[in-house]
């Protein structure tokens, strides 16, 4: 099996190969999902060197625990791997204990509830904006927006109050909204 | 509308990729390669058993075929390590160390509902353990049912307290550590699917010290010494004459040697080689602290006796072989990570099943025919030993140990002259390998 032919393998076939420690299967799995998982991890972790370390640990864990994966339909392998990466990212963030205090926004109330014009912003720009958020805002935003966590769940995960989680999300969205507007304004002028 | 932005954001990022960090795959494959190589190695206990058996065989061959007069005595009774015996597993010692499980995080994978999976799926995936140490064994908590959070409304809290994500309160930490019950936090089971963030998750097991240890060991009593007697002896009491040389027989030569050793004539020298011992042992852990061990061992005692008188001389080479059965009670001092410290004491009964002595006499330039005897054959000897040991366990089933001690032999009148009788109280030390079966 090589990467070219391996790309046609189903998720279950890939997992079977990984369980059998087929190097090619591991390579195919890595090639297929590394880019996506890097995007997921880098949404949580701003430091690129830490992203690499976390991804390495996550992939090793994925390969070792492949026999524990239970296929639940198309996309379940991707979801399972994403969960591992997110968990490892959160553990990395948890080590910081005191997440940095986000900046105070001026006229925050004016931007807080603006609808997003995110469709006018390339996704890679959006990704960059999310990475620019302070750790606290970014973590809550990712958990809420991408992992579908409630504020209660986020509060339990991060050891904060529920209303604090809501506040962080509010601030994160306000910041992103402002940056999106600035981006649109800048590129419209061009 | 409040959830629409989330859904569309997730759709935007569904296929979004970022170039992976440079060298990521190389790091992964290298780490996987190391792990595979480690797993391909035979179980440690195979290696330790093989090494122990090989070492015991080599030591036995060396000791058996080196001859009774080929060893050197210490000359001063100092403690000399049994350097001619290679690595050996040490007996028992029921001091099996505690194998502690490494910490690992667990998380309930069931709660996570990825946006790409229909919400009606019952995602009962298994709990995933964090792979931190190869030796760890962590129980996995049972899976938890999925909670569909897609309908949770967004909470708008304008003007709320500006508390930011700061340090984790102690209560929250405790809550994450023990999802089933904590202070000040909902006692609902693990809706949390991102782990406990704790270093020692619930379910970590620690094995009890109830193992059985089997070992092969080599060691011995360090009593090698040369005795030179400086006393004078009345000529008439001397028995070292050719005429009085013992005839070939089973006991005469032994009696002759004992007489010389007892009288200590100035012309008599006794040289005792370092006793060599090989054995097997079996120990059982009675309690986490106490252990009982027994086994069987074989001891070689080689000595050379020389008597010189004028132009005549007699040289006797003696080799004694004992089979011994020890019984020891061990007390383990609380384990320090991978180190075990312990003390053990108990008796041992040894039986001399074989004895060979060859006497060679010279009268001037004339050599008399060699005479053979079996002094001490069939005799018994009791001893009591006290040891203190330290064992380092780099792996779960293998230990490296160092064990100094003292040993006292209760000699009797009928006991053949040997290192045991020359110095009943001896220091000893041994080192080697020990492996633990079910610890």
């Amino acid at each position: 099996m090589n990467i070219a032919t391996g790309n046609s393998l189903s998720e279950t076939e890939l997992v079977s190969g990984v369980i059998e420690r087929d190097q090619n299967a591991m390579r195919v799995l890595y090639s297929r999902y590394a880019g996506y998982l890097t995007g997921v991890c880098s949404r949580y972790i701003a430091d690129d060197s830490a992203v690499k370390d976390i991804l390495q640990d996550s992939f090793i864990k994925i390969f070792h625990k492949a026999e524990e994966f239970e296929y639940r339909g198309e996309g379940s392998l991707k979801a399972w791997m994403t969960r591992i990466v997110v968990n490892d990212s959160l553990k990395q963030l948890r080590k910081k204990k005191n997440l940095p205090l986000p900046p105070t926004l001026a006229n925050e109330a004016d931007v807080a509830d603006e609808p997003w014009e995110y469709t006018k912003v390339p996704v890679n720009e959006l990704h960059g904006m999310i990475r620019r958020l302070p750790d606290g805002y970014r973590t809550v935003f990712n958990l809420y927006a991408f992992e579908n966590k409630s504020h209660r769940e986020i509060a339990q995960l991060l050891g904060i109050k529920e209303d604090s989680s809501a506040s962080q999300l509010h601030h994160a969205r306000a910041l992103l909204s402002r940056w999106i507007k600035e981006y649109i304004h800048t590129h419209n002028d061009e | 509308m409040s959830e629409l932005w989330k859904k569309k954001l997730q759709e935007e990022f569904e296929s979004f990729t970022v170039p992976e960090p440079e060298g990521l795959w190389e790091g992964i494959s290298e780490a996987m390669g190391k792990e595979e190589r480690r797993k391909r190695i035979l179980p440690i206990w195979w290696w330790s058993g093989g090494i122990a058996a090989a070492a015991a065989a080599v030591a036995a061959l060396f000791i058996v075929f080196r001859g009774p007069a080929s060893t050197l005595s210490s000359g001063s009774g100092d403690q000399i390590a049994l350097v001619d015996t290679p690595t050996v597993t040490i007996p028992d010692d029921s001091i099996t160390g505690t194998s502690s499980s490494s910490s690992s995080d667990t998380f309930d994978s069931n709660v996570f509902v990825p946006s790409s999976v229909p919400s009606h799926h019952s995602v009962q995936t298994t709990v995933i353990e964090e792979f931190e140490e190869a030796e760890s064994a962590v129980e996995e908590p049972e899976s938890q049912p999925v909670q569909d959070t897609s309908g949770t409304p967004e909470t708008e809290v304008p003007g709320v307290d500006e508390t930011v994500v700061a340090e984790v309160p102690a209560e929250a930490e405790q809550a994450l550590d023990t999802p089933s019950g904590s202070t000040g936090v909902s006692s609902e089971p693990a809706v949390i699917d991102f782990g406990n963030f704790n270093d020692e998750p619930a379910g970590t097991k620690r094995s009890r010290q109830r193992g059985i240890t089997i070992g092969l060991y080599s060691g011995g009593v360090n009593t090698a010494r040369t005795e030179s007697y400086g006393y004078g002896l009345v000529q008439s009491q001397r028995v070292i004459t050719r005429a009085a040389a013992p005839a070939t027989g089973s006991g005469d030569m032994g009696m002759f040697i004992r007489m010389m050793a007892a009288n200590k004539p100035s012309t008599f020298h006794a040289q005792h080689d370092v006793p060599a011992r090989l054995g097997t042992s079996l120990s059982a852990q009675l309690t986490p602290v106490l252990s009982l061990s027994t086994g069987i061992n074989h001891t070689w005692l080689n000595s050379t006796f020389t008597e010189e008188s004028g132009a005549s001389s007699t040289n006797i080479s003696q080799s004694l072989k004992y089979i011994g059965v020890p019984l020891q009670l061990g007390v383990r001092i609380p384990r320090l990570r991978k180190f075990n410290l312990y003390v053990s004491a108990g008796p041992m009964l040894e039986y001399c099943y074989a004895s060979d002595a060859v006497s060679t006499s010279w009268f001037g330039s004339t050599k008399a025919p060699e005479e053979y005897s079996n002094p001490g054959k069939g005799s018994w000897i009791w001893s009591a030993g006290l040891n203190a040991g330290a064992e380092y366990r780099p792996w779960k089933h293998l230990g490296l140990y160092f064990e100094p001690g003292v040993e006292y032999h209760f000699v009797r009148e009928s006991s053949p002259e040997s290192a045991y009788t020359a110095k009943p109280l001896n220091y000893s030390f041994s080192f080697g390998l020990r492996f633990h079966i079910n610890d």
Side-chain angles (χ1 to χ4, degrees), chain B residues 226-244:
Chain B
T226 298
E227 293 185 358
S228 294
Y229 300 119
Y231 314 152
L233 188 68
V234 177
Q235 185 70 28
S236 62
Q237 293 180 330
R238 292 179 60 189
V239 297
I240 311 304
T241 63
R242 187 172 185 277

Side-chain angles (χ1 to χ4, degrees), chain A residues 14-15 17-19 21-42 50-67 69 77-89, chain B residues 17-33 35-36 39 128-132:
Chain A
L14 268 182
V15 172
V18 170
I19 292 173
R21 293 295 184 262
D22 182 352
Q23 291 292 320
N24 287 328
M26 293 183 189
R27 190 68 171 95
V28 170
L29 186 73
Y30 168 85
S31 301
R32 190 181 292 186
Y33 295 106
Y36 172 76
L37 294 177
T38 302
V40 170
C41 186
S42 59
V51 168
K52 181 180 179 182
D53 293 338
I54 292 170
L55 285 173
Q56 180 168 319
D57 291 342
S58 296
F59 268 104
I60 292 172
K61 191 182 300 182
I62 289 168
F63 293 149
H64 279 288
K65 301 297 181 182
E67 60 267 22
F69 166 72
L77 175 60
K78 185 179 181 180
W80 179 70
M81 296 171 66
T82 301
R83 185 168 57 247
I84 292 174
V85 170
V86 171
N87 270 355
D88 288 347
S89 301
Chain B
T17 61
V18 172
E20 59 266 31
E22 188 176 344
L24 176 61
W25 172 250
E26 286 74 15
I28 294 169
S29 59
E30 182 181 348
M32 291 297 295
E35 182 62 27
E36 291 302 316
K39 287 183 178 179
I128 297 174
E129 298 176 24
E130 175 175 297
F131 180 75
E132 288 190 353

Side-chain angles (χ1 to χ4, degrees), chain B residues 90-404:
Chain B
I90 290 199
D92 90 10
D93 219 50
S94 26
I95 311 285
T96 54
T98 305
S99 65
S100 61
S101 302
S102 68
S103 63
S104 73
D105 289 338
T106 62
F107 65 88
D108 184 347
S109 62
N110 294 323
V111 183
F112 179 76
V113 181
S115 57
S116 60
V117 177
S119 60
H120 64 268
H121 268 222
S122 175
V123 184
Q124 295 288 337
T125 58
T126 57
V127 176
I128 297 174
E129 298 176 24
E130 175 175 297
F131 180 75
E132 288 190 353
E133 289 184 29
E135 294 183 37
S136 67
V138 178
E139 285 184 348
E140 300 180 2
E142 294 181 356
S143 299
Q144 299 288 338
V146 175
Q147 284 198 9
D148 185 356
T149 62
S150 59
T152 304
E154 179 185 73
T155 303
E156 296 289 344
V157 190
V160 72
D161 171 40
E162 295 299 310
T163 305
V164 299
V165 181
E167 62 180 322
V168 178
E171 295 82 6
E173 284 195 42
Q174 189 176 5
L176 292 174
D177 290 346
T178 57
S180 62
S182 59
T183 59
V185 181
S186 168
S187 61
E188 283 188 4
V191 176
I192 304 167
D193 67 340
F194 289 106
N196 296 324
F197 293 102
N198 53 332
D199 293 327
E200 290 196 8
T204 299
K205 287 196 293 189
R206 291 182 178 272
S207 59
R208 300 190 65 186
Q209 288 292 285
R210 295 299 175 95
I212 294 178
T213 302
I214 292 181
L216 292 175
Y217 66 96
S218 176
V221 177
N222 262 327
T223 59
R225 54 178 291 181
T226 298
E227 293 185 358
S228 294
Y229 300 119
Y231 314 152
L233 188 68
V234 177
Q235 185 70 28
S236 62
Q237 293 180 330
R238 292 179 60 189
V239 297
I240 311 304
T241 63
R242 187 172 185 277
T248 301
S250 61
D252 291 344
M253 195 180 299
M255 182 173 65
F256 164 76
I257 297 171
R258 283 198 301 276
M259 286 175 59
M260 300 309 297
N263 293 325
K264 297 182 176 54
S266 59
T267 59
F268 182 75
H269 304 271
Q271 178 177 300
H272 304 291
D273 299 337
V274 176
R277 181 176 292 161
L278 288 175
T280 61
S281 67
L282 177 68
S283 70
Q285 201 75 22
L286 303 177
T287 71
V289 176
L290 291 178
S291 64
L292 189 66
S293 66
T294 185
I296 187 168
N297 57 52
H298 187 288
T299 305
W300 289 265
L301 298 174
N302 299 320
S303 305
T304 302
F305 307 98
T306 306
E307 199 277 334
E308 295 177 349
S309 173
S312 64
S313 65
T314 300
N315 180 279
I316 301 175
S317 296
Q318 175 184 278
S319 175
L320 305 177
K321 295 174 185 153
Y322 284 89
I323 292 290
V325 177
L327 185 66
Q328 288 209 323
L329 186 66
V331 177
R332 182 173 62 85
I333 299 171
R335 185 176 177 181
L336 301 173
R337 200 168 168 80
K338 292 188 176 183
F339 285 93
N340 288 333
L341 299 176
Y342 58 90
V343 292
S344 61
M348 180 168 66
L349 179 62
E350 292 180 272
Y351 169 73
C352 182
Y353 77 94
S355 168
D356 299 288
V358 178
S359 173
T360 306
S361 298
W362 288 84
F363 300 95
S365 59
T366 304
K367 179 183 177 182
E370 291 180 341
E371 298 176 2
Y372 303 90
S373 178
N374 308 103
K377 183 176 180 180
S379 63
W380 296 82
I381 187 169
W382 281 98
S383 64
L386 174 65
N387 303 292
E391 180 185 22
Y392 169 64
R393 294 182 64 176
W395 298 287
K396 182 178 180 181
H397 295 291
L398 180 67
L400 306 170
Y401 88 102
F402 167 82
E403 189 180 277

Side-chain angles (χ1 to χ4, degrees), chain A residues 1-189:
Chain A
M1 183 203 304
N2 55 37
I3 295 180
T5 57
N7 284 334
S8 61
L9 294 176
S10 66
E11 290 184 350
T12 51
E13 290 170 331
L14 268 182
V15 172
S16 297
V18 170
I19 292 173
E20 294 170 4
R21 293 295 184 262
D22 182 352
Q23 291 292 320
N24 287 328
M26 293 183 189
R27 190 68 171 95
V28 170
L29 186 73
Y30 168 85
S31 301
R32 190 181 292 186
Y33 295 106
Y36 172 76
L37 294 177
T38 302
V40 170
C41 186
S42 59
R43 266 196 284 113
Y44 286 87
I45 307 296
D47 179 15
D48 290 339
S49 62
V51 168
K52 181 180 179 182
D53 293 338
I54 292 170
L55 285 173
Q56 180 168 319
D57 291 342
S58 296
F59 268 104
I60 292 172
K61 191 182 300 182
I62 289 168
F63 293 149
H64 279 288
K65 301 297 181 182
E67 60 267 22
E68 297 179 13
F69 166 72
E70 293 184 25
Y71 185 72
R72 296 292 177 177
E74 185 180 352
S76 59
L77 175 60
K78 185 179 181 180
W80 179 70
M81 296 171 66
T82 301
R83 185 168 57 247
I84 292 174
V85 170
V86 171
N87 270 355
D88 288 347
S89 301
L90 290 176
K91 286 171 188 170
Q92 177 70 18
L93 288 168
R94 177 108 167 38
K95 291 178 182 177
K96 287 188 176 183
K97 296 262 181 176
N98 294 314
L99 295 178
L101 185 68
T104 301
L105 298 176
N107 298 322
E108 188 176 293
D110 294 337
V111 299
D113 295 327
E114 287 287 333
W116 281 28
E117 294 186 275
Y118 53 85
T119 55
K120 297 182 181 179
V121 179
V123 65
N124 60 318
E125 290 292 336
L126 261 178
H127 180 258
M129 292 176 188
I130 294 173
R131 293 196 83 192
R132 283 167 54 192
L133 288 171
D135 286 349
Y137 290 174
R138 186 172 67 249
T139 304
V140 173
F141 180 82
N142 278 315
L143 288 172
Y144 188 88
F146 292 96
E147 317 306 340
N148 294 318
K149 291 296 167 188
S150 66
H151 288 297
R152 185 180 188 184
E153 293 166 326
I154 295 172
Q156 288 179 328
L157 272 170
L158 302 181
I160 59 176
K161 297 178 181 178
E162 202 171 321
D163 53 1
S164 181
S165 173
S167 172
Q168 302 308 306
L169 176 66
H170 178 75
H171 294 314
R173 290 189 65 193
L175 262 180
L176 288 172
S177 180
R178 189 173 77 177
W179 290 338
I180 288 172
K181 286 189 174 181
E182 290 174 355
Y183 176 88
I184 294 173
H185 179 73
T186 302
H187 286 76
N188 282 344
D189 289 345

